[in-house]
Amino acid sequence: MLSVDNIEVVYNGVIRAVQHVSLKVPDGGVVALLGANGAGKTSVLRAISGLLGMQRGKLIGGTITLDGERIDKLEASQIVKRRLVQVPEGRRIFGSLTVEENLRAGGYSRNDRVALRKTFDQVMTLFPVLAERRKMSAGYLSGGEQQMLAIGRAMMAAPRLLLLDEPSLGLAPVIVQQIRSIITQINSEGTAILVVEQNATMALSVAQHGYIMKTGEIVLDRSAAEMMADDQVKRFYLGLNEAGGRLDFSRLKDKAVRLTERTERKAGV
Ligand code: ATP
């Protein structure tokens, strides 16, 4: 359904953030886009949802198509109308508006009041905690609740493809599990999902396919099951130990320094 082909992104006319990136999201599928800080994942999402311009970024090469239609020259609002909706990193909810007002703002691209009412009720069912806090200012919600509100707000546009940027960022493990099951539930109702994550274990546990980015390029393109089964991929690209836990890079670094010192001592340096 979504096809990104050989795209290139620059910021301020000079900073090349993404190059030669191609990926696909099939109808109803879940795809994970993984990689370390600054690898270019968010830039790929912004290119898809037409939000690069707001960041002084530009798509300078490649094409993006949705069901065969070129969307890379469309305005962000026209892309939302095609039901391709991004949940930005850092949530960006409207803190001074109530939960309900935030959700209604997410439905701005739709005119059918009856359909909107129905979606609103579905969002309330999907997120009971938001239903409870419906009249509360969104600024008073916890981090996890704000993430749920951001996803709920995107759901108000009735997306067929949801772009999620780091939904687990800064959340406690128990809340990450809740977000994970919400992603699964949204997908089971037919919405395709492209999820950007640093939490590879979470993302690969919901995705069928994964891409790993490094310094602006895709360095690995495999099924999620293959990625999780490959110890080398886990260690070198995803920073996970055999049990699926995160490697402690600071300790690894200490160990590397100790080894170097020992080698140097032996060599009499
Ligand atoms: P993160 O997890 O930190 O968001 P990321 O993989 O999503 O990382 P991007 O945010 O896409 O990576 O950043 C890719 C590169 O583009 C980085 O070198 C970053 O500094 C640069 N970049 C991102 N946004 C901008 C911007 N608005 N202006 C200038 N450079 C930017």
Side-chain angles (χ1 to χ4, degrees):
M1 165 179 65
L2 177 80
S3 183
V4 172
D5 294 290
N6 207 18
I7 62 164
E8 240 167 289
V9 173
V10 291
Y11 289 100
N12 301 316
V14 283
I15 305 162
R16 192 169 296 257
V18 171
Q19 47 200 340
H20 314 304
V21 164
S22 298
L23 60 84
K24 291 203 185 320
V25 183
D27 241 328
V30 183
V31 171
L33 182 57
L34 309 169
N37 257 336
K41 309 177 298 294
T42 299
S43 301
V44 171
L45 290 195
R46 286 182 188 144
I48 297 170
S49 52
L51 295 172
L52 277 173
M54 285 169 68
Q55 303 286 330
R56 306 195 48 173
K58 202 164 185 241
L59 189 68
I60 59 157
T63 59
I64 303 174
T65 57
L66 186 67
D67 290 335
E69 180 203 9
R70 286 275 298 264
I71 58 165
D72 48 88
K73 300 267 190 287
L74 298 182
E75 298 285 326
S77 59
Q78 295 173 302
I79 295 174
V80 171
K81 277 215 157 78
R82 282 161 179 75
R83 296 167 54 211
L84 200 162
V85 187
Q86 179 169 354
V87 179
E89 184 186 13
R91 293 146 213 159
R92 302 218 186 98
I93 48 130
F94 305 117
S96 57
L97 299 186
T98 65
V99 166
E100 183 168 343
E101 286 163 345
N102 267 276
L103 291 174
R104 299 224 178 269
Y108 77 94
S109 61
R110 299 167 70 198
N111 300 320
D112 184 341
R113 284 171 170 270
V114 178
L116 262 176
R117 175 88 239 165
K118 195 168 159 220
T119 312
F120 183 82
D121 291 342
Q122 284 166 344
V123 171
M124 291 284 102
T125 311
L126 185 61
F127 300 100
V129 68
L130 297 184
E132 276 168 33
R133 302 189 181 357
R134 205 169 145 165
K135 302 284 176 208
M136 192 189 263
S137 290
Y140 290 112
L141 298 178
S142 70
E145 289 161 358
Q146 289 192 6
Q147 181 63 65
M148 290 177 202
L149 179 57
I151 298 175
R153 190 177 58 184
M155 293 306 290
M156 288 295 290
R160 38 187 302 233
L161 173 57
L162 194 62
L163 308 175
L164 288 173
D165 197 354
E166 305 246 13
S168 78
L169 192 71
L171 301 180
V174 58
I175 311 293
V176 174
Q177 280 317 310
Q178 284 178 24
I179 298 285
R180 183 190 173 282
S181 59
I182 284 161
I183 294 175
T184 312
Q185 200 172 335
I186 290 172
N187 177 244
S188 71
E189 283 159 23
T191 303
I193 295 171
L194 175 58
V195 57
V196 156
E197 263 297 344
Q198 286 194 38
N199 184 338
T201 314
M202 189 278 249
L204 290 174
S205 72
V206 289
Q208 295 96 36
H209 200 88
Y211 294 89
I212 300 180
M213 283 189 78
K214 207 172 161 189
T215 53
E217 298 189 49
I218 303 264
V219 290
L220 209 74
D221 164 1
R222 299 240 188 112
S223 77
E226 278 172 340
M227 277 196 194
M228 285 312 281
D230 188 327
D231 280 343
Q232 285 210 343
V233 170
K234 283 202 296 193
R235 282 186 84 78
F236 294 114
Y237 291 111
L238 304 177
L240 301 172
N241 63 26
E242 282 75 11
R246 283 202 166 258
L247 289 175
D248 183 342
F249 283 111
S250 57
R251 279 176 50 206
L252 274 182
K253 201 169 132 213
D254 287 351
K255 196 170 171 194
V257 170
R258 280 202 308 276
L259 278 172
T260 315
E261 283 171 355
R262 209 181 305 156
T263 319
E264 283 177 352
R265 263 203 313 278
K266 267 194 193 156
V269 178

